[in-house]
Amino acid sequence: MSENHNPIPVPTLRRLPMYLEIVKELKESGETAVSSTAIAKICGLESILVRKDIASTGIVGQARCGFEINQLIDSIETFLGWRKTNEAFLVGAGSLGTALLKYKKFDEHSLCIHAAFDIDPAKIGKKIAGIPVFALKKLPDLIKRMRAEIGIITVIPSEAQSVADIMVNAGIRALWNFAPVVLTVPEGVVVENVSLSASLGVLTSKYYRKGENNG
Amino acid sequence: MSENHNPIPVPTLRRLPMYLEIVKELKESGETAVSSTAIAKICGLESILVRKDIASTGIVGQARCGFEINQLIDSIETFLGWRKTNEAFLVGAGSLGTALLKYKKFDEHSLCIHAAFDIDPAKIGKKIAGIPVFALKKLPDLIKRMRAEIGIITVIPSEAQSVADIMVNAGIRALWNFAPVVLTVPEGVVVENVSLSASLGVLTSKYYRKGENNG
DNA sequence: TAGATTGTTAATCGATTAACAATC
DNA sequence: TAGATTGTTAATCGATTAACAATC
């Protein structure tokens, strides 16, 4: 209850998984402590920024030594909510959905995709990466029965909102949306969008503007 | 040469594709003009922000009417570099790579993936979504011959840096990196990272912190 | 001890928002 | 004309960076 209630900047939340990746790697190579200076060097950031970010997870370091590595891993993972299992359902077993179902890295993040849903009869009843694919109409019932918390949306744009509605109505409070659509959800539901277009736009516009600055 | 040389904020670059999506949709439904107010409403942003973002593409609107819809589409697309064909190569034909090869939406963005590369003999020589998969060792030669501009990296983390090196040495100046690795590249090479971990971290941490603010 | 590093407080920088005149 | 909307200039807000005392 004496928790830090300051709102954490989203940029901080986005950087923490990168630090975690680096710190885990350092642990693998036998390190037992790590400083923000060292992390900053590896990811090309200012050490003070890394220190601030790490501080927001609540961990306390040791002057001169930095952070005890196991403790730091634990602190970041706990802060991100990656120490408990995050039960998820995925809707849209197309190529992107399939890629996510096969993505091994999620296990590390305690994201456990229990089931996938689709409307394609050719997919229903099969398994992808060991995960069963059900008919979309079974979604509400199964969300309630299996108490899924996170909904992953990988359907075509025109279906995204209605899938979101079904999930929210069935009690899901966190949506990971890969469809290029602005979802409307009631207050209290967290939505995180992954936009490939946004990312590609940054890449191509920077690429074409690059020359201008030199000339 | 009288171009606007102000550095464009990355958040602006990330929002422009969303506006484009919305505006194209409005065009489909028969609209001929659109105001920043209307766009703002659809994506849940302040209209002044939308107006500023749009202004940075260089288009001039009409007081009272907003922006002519075809002109706006053209302006955003040109600004993002989506009006010329962006020739790309993809390395790593795993599940994520395959999903990207199959992703139709890229055609709209003039991203044309000409070839994929992998080290798996079972994949080499085959086609995925009509795109040929070559042996990785052919990469440098083909980049030069086909003058690819964008390199898409969907390999495992431990391979990402060496693939980036090969691409950069062969002349590629834009990398779209999906591996959870901080790439080191020479000055003048644009790197855009897509980090699923970063996105998931935002989702889960917000989800678990949600309750705290209410309690 | 000396020096690297933490954590805190203040300064800077950049993005968003507000205010408002111009205009169609 | 009246009023909605643009585009510009100024104010605010929030994230990053700097400065520095505390500490192991």
Side-chain angles (χ1 to χ4, degrees):
Chain A
M1 306 302 165
S2 63
E3 293 262 324
N4 179 8
H5 273 233
N6 296 358
I8 308 293
V10 171
T12 295
L13 298 177
R14 295 190 64 87
R15 284 187 297 263
L16 285 171
M18 174 168 56
Y19 306 155
L20 182 62
E21 199 80 31
I22 289 166
V23 171
K24 276 178 168 176
E25 193 115 337
L26 290 172
K27 188 191 172 179
E28 283 299 303
S29 63
E31 302 289 328
T32 57
V34 61
S35 70
S36 43
T37 323
I39 296 172
K41 202 163 200 175
I42 293 170
C43 47
L45 298 172
E46 296 290 328
S47 71
I48 175 67
L49 182 61
V50 175
R51 198 149 77 247
K52 270 264 166 78
D53 287 342
I54 288 176
S56 55
T57 69
I59 195 176
V60 173
Q62 294 247 317
R64 197 162 132 76
C65 311
F67 302 88
E68 200 280 309
I69 215 158
N70 288 313
Q71 205 185 333
L72 181 54
I73 290 171
D74 181 76
S75 183
I76 296 177
E77 286 186 343
T78 303
F79 185 78
L80 291 174
W82 290 359
R83 274 285 159 121
K84 8 190 174 184
T85 305
N86 295 291
E87 325 270 354
F89 277 6
L90 178 145
V91 179
S95 49
L96 182 57
T98 300
L100 295 178
L101 293 172
K102 288 182 178 170
Y103 199 55
K104 298 286 191 302
K105 204 146 197 81
F106 289 154
D107 303 344
E108 282 179 38
H109 306 154
S110 305
L111 184 77
C112 185
I113 306 177
H114 281 298
F117 297 83
D118 207 295
I119 51 166
D120 181 355
K123 288 170 185 163
I124 296 165
K126 303 241 170 78
K127 286 191 172 191
I128 298 173
I131 299 159
V133 181
F134 297 106
L136 182 57
K137 63 182 173 198
K138 293 195 174 169
L139 181 59
D141 205 51
L142 280 169
I143 288 174
K144 286 168 197 162
R145 280 229 305 263
M146 298 176 73
R147 280 181 292 158
E149 296 176 299
I150 294 178
I152 306 173
I153 299 175
T154 47
V155 297
I156 54 172
S158 57
E159 293 296 323
Q161 182 64 57
S162 74
V163 167
D165 292 342
I166 294 170
M167 286 175 156
V168 169
N169 286 336
I172 279 189
R173 288 292 167 268
L175 294 176
W176 202 13
N177 175 39
F178 288 78
V181 165
V182 183
L183 296 178
T184 305
V185 295
E187 183 128 6
V189 176
V190 180
V191 177
E192 169 68 14
N193 299 296
V194 176
S195 170
L196 292 181
S197 300
S199 181
L200 184 61
V202 175
L203 182 71
T204 53
S205 61
K206 279 186 177 171
Y207 175 63
Y208 285 112
R209 219 162 314 285
K210 192 161 56 84
E212 286 178 22
N213 300 330
N214 306 338
Chain B
M1 305 304 168
S2 63
E3 292 263 324
N4 179 7
H5 273 233
N6 295 358
I8 308 294
V10 171
T12 294
L13 298 177
R14 294 190 65 87
R15 283 187 298 262
L16 285 171
M18 174 169 55
Y19 304 156
L20 182 61
E21 199 81 31
I22 289 166
V23 172
K24 277 179 169 175
E25 194 115 336
L26 289 173
K27 187 191 171 180
E28 284 299 304
S29 64
E31 302 289 328
T32 58
V34 61
S35 70
S36 43
T37 322
I39 298 173
K41 202 164 198 175
I42 293 170
C43 49
L45 298 171
E46 295 290 327
S47 71
I48 175 67
L49 183 61
V50 175
R51 199 148 78 246
K52 270 263 166 78
D53 287 342
I54 288 176
S56 56
T57 68
I59 194 176
V60 174
Q62 295 245 316
R64 197 161 131 77
C65 311
F67 302 88
E68 200 281 309
I69 217 159
N70 288 313
Q71 205 185 334
L72 181 54
I73 291 172
D74 181 77
S75 183
I76 297 176
E77 286 186 344
T78 303
F79 185 78
L80 291 173
W82 290 359
R83 274 284 159 121
K84 8 191 175 185
T85 306
N86 294 292
E87 324 270 356
F89 277 6
L90 179 146
V91 180
S95 49
L96 181 58
T98 299
L100 295 179
L101 293 173
K102 289 181 178 172
Y103 199 55
K104 299 284 190 305
K105 204 149 196 77
F106 289 156
D107 304 344
E108 282 180 38
H109 306 154
S110 305
L111 185 76
C112 183
I113 306 178
H114 281 299
F117 297 84
D118 207 296
I119 50 167
D120 182 354
K123 288 170 185 161
I124 296 166
K126 302 239 170 81
K127 286 191 172 192
I128 298 173
I131 298 160
V133 181
F134 297 107
L136 183 57
K137 63 182 173 199
K138 292 194 175 170
L139 179 59
D141 205 49
L142 280 169
I143 289 174
K144 285 168 196 159
R145 280 228 305 261
M146 297 176 73
R147 280 180 292 157
E149 297 176 298
I150 295 178
I152 305 173
I153 300 175
T154 47
V155 297
I156 55 172
S158 57
E159 294 294 323
Q161 182 63 58
S162 74
V163 167
D165 292 344
I166 294 170
M167 285 176 156
V168 169
N169 286 336
I172 278 187
R173 288 291 168 271
L175 295 176
W176 203 13
N177 176 40
F178 288 77
V181 164
V182 182
L183 297 178
T184 306
V185 296
E187 182 128 6
V189 176
V190 180
V191 178
E192 170 68 14
N193 298 297
V194 176
S195 170
L196 292 181
S197 300
S199 180
L200 183 62
V202 175
L203 181 71
T204 52
S205 61
K206 279 186 177 173
Y207 176 63
Y208 285 112
R209 217 163 314 287
K210 192 162 54 85
E212 285 179 20
N213 301 329
N214 306 339

